Amino acid sequence: MSSQSASIPLVSSFDSPAVHIVYTERPHNEEPEAYHIRTLVSVLGSEEAAREALVYSYKNAASGFSARLTPDQVTEITKQPGVLHVVQSGNNKLHSGGGGVARLH
């Protein structure tokens, strides 16, 4: 291995942010998005970074938010008060099982 290739930092996909869904308790006496930003600020260090990371605030059917977080940030956010569960967001494809609509007779 040359000295030039040894100086190039390796970036792992494990270090890059991915979208995670963070389920939280419902905030009391605070707007959900403000609560979500405050929770992110405790891990990311600034309101600007929190707003950049926030993808969506869930307010109706579930309480929580989705945000771009690194694995280390996920570890830290799970320790925050009111955070119930964190899962990585993903896409699921439906399998139609034959490509057609079944007909009932």
Side-chain angles (χ1 to χ4, degrees):
M1 178 160 48
S2 73
S3 62
Q4 182 181 15
S5 63
S7 66
I8 299 173
L10 296 176
V11 177
S12 166
S13 62
F14 295 114
D15 297 334
S16 60
V19 176
H20 288 78
I21 300 171
V22 180
Y23 294 95
T24 64
E25 295 175 349
R26 290 201 182 275
H28 299 287
N29 303 321
E30 187 174 14
E31 288 296 315
E33 187 170 343
Y35 176 70
H36 301 154
I37 292 291
R38 188 167 52 83
T39 302
L40 282 166
V41 166
S42 67
V43 172
L44 302 178
S46 73
E47 186 171 332
E48 181 181 350
R51 290 192 181 281
E52 286 179 16
L54 184 68
V55 175
Y56 189 81
S57 282
Y58 301 98
K59 301 169 191 164
N60 297 318
S63 179
F65 57 92
S66 56
R68 289 178 194 85
L69 302 169
T70 66
D72 288 343
Q73 292 166 339
V74 169
T75 299
E76 287 305 309
I77 207 156
T78 59
K79 298 174 186 175
Q80 300 307 308
V83 172
L84 303 174
H85 190 62
V86 180
V87 295
Q88 187 168 351
S89 181
N91 294 328
N92 296 318
K93 293 183 180 184
L94 297 176
H95 179 69
S96 65
V101 176
R103 295 184 183 199
L104 300 175
H105 298 288

